[in-house]
Amino acid sequence: MFLVLSSALLHALWNALLKREADISTATVCVLSVSLASSALLVPFFPGPRFPTHESVLWGLASGAFEGGYFLTLAMALLRAPLGFAYTVARGTAIALVFPISVVFLAERLTVVSGVGVLVLYAGLIAVGLSREQLAGRQGLLWSCVCGVCVAGYHLCYKQALHAGALAPALFTLSLSVALPINLLHHGKGAPVRVWRALRDNPRRMLLAGIACTASFTVFLYALALAGAGAVLTLRNTSVIFAQLLSLSIGEKLRAQQVLGAVLVGVGAALIGWPT
């Protein structure tokens, strides 16, 4: 639980740092680049076979494809919606997808408590999605949901890669090695130059965001190796509460309905991940 909550706080932190950037799309690729570099530096400090099976490599590559989609759609969502809204919808959507899949296909246990948690979480998503502030921002809602699909995809792929024996830092490095070219290609000619300028113009924030991203995912992967995919993802996504607090720190205004929805998503996630 400590590992997952630490990961949740770090994840919300780097998302908030990203939201403060004037050019969010370029900053996203910058954070991805820093995260890849810092993750690669960690690999030698963790002994053991990196990818002992072919399955671990294949699942790692698949997670990279979803990571690439995640960083792309995260930028799209943050460009069109406030941090508190986009973060809650994306993470809640991921939970709504991963938990049923984990129960049906990955033999995770469904209890009365986790069942209530699912209902509470869905209620929170509906509350956030129907926020009057966001009814005019359908694209923000759409991209936040697509981002959540990508989160669900890389989460399940990570779990399968770890199950096949992959070492967490090496797995994350492989995944980002796939995600970075996808994002650079999407941004077209001159993307590396723009990324370098963003890092040069604002090194502290970009380095902090990238390192926080690496720390968040590395800690998350170790927790994922110790527990079920549905439980870890749901508990980690109590980070929606951290995201609401951080959104206030960057000057966003929160409506009561949005706060209520975020609290319900956080409570629902905690109930789903409650140890039995």
Side-chain angles (χ1 to χ4, degrees):
M1 185 175 292
F2 173 76
L3 289 174
V4 178
L5 292 178
S6 298
S7 174
L9 176 58
L10 289 167
H11 195 278
L13 174 63
W14 77 261
N15 274 244
L17 291 170
L18 187 62
K19 179 63 176 176
R20 295 185 63 184
E21 293 299 310
D23 185 353
I24 293 179
S25 295
T26 300
T28 301
V29 185
C30 191
V31 170
L32 175 54
S33 303
V34 173
S35 185
L36 172 58
S38 57
S39 177
L41 290 173
L42 282 177
V43 174
F45 295 98
F46 292 84
R50 273 58 170 170
F51 298 97
T53 63
H54 293 300
E55 289 81 2
S56 62
V57 176
L58 292 176
W59 283 114
L61 294 173
S63 68
F66 280 110
E67 281 279 15
Y70 164 67
F71 278 92
L72 284 174
T73 55
L74 175 65
M76 296 290 190
L78 292 179
L79 280 168
R80 293 164 175 81
L83 170 67
F85 176 86
Y87 196 96
T88 301
V89 172
R91 310 313 294 187
T93 300
I95 301 170
L97 292 172
V98 168
F99 189 73
I101 293 173
S102 297
V103 170
V104 175
F105 297 105
L106 301 180
E108 288 197 39
R109 184 182 175 190
L110 176 64
T111 65
V112 174
V113 174
S114 61
V116 172
V118 170
L119 296 178
V120 173
L121 183 143
Y122 286 155
L125 282 178
I126 292 171
V128 175
L130 294 180
S131 173
R132 288 181 299 169
E133 181 184 0
Q134 293 303 322
L135 287 177
R138 294 180 181 177
Q139 286 193 350
L141 176 61
L142 173 63
W143 283 112
S144 298
C145 289
V146 176
C147 183
V149 173
C150 293
V151 172
Y154 75 59
H155 183 94
L156 292 169
C157 290
Y158 278 143
K159 180 62 178 179
Q160 294 302 102
L162 292 168
H163 182 71
L167 193 66
L171 173 60
F172 187 53
T173 302
L174 173 62
S175 181
L176 293 191
S177 298
V178 176
L180 181 57
I182 292 174
N183 279 259
L184 288 173
L185 286 172
H186 173 78
H187 285 79
K189 187 177 180 180
V193 175
R194 292 195 299 274
V195 169
W196 169 249
R197 286 175 180 170
L199 180 59
R200 181 194 62 191
D201 295 341
N202 196 356
R204 288 185 180 180
R205 189 180 298 167
M206 291 296 93
L207 288 172
L208 177 59
I211 293 172
C213 178
T214 296
S216 170
F217 275 98
T218 302
V219 172
F220 157 69
L221 289 177
Y222 273 104
L224 189 60
L226 298 174
V232 170
L233 178 63
T234 49
L235 183 58
R236 184 177 187 248
N237 285 314
T238 53
S239 59
V240 296
I241 306 300
F242 297 130
Q244 303 308 310
L245 298 174
L246 289 168
S247 68
L248 288 174
S249 72
I250 61 175
E252 291 185 1
K253 295 181 179 179
L254 302 180
R255 290 184 178 273
Q257 187 174 355
Q258 182 179 330
V259 174
L260 174 62
V263 170
L264 289 174
V265 169
V267 171
L271 291 174
I272 295 171
W274 196 261
T276 58

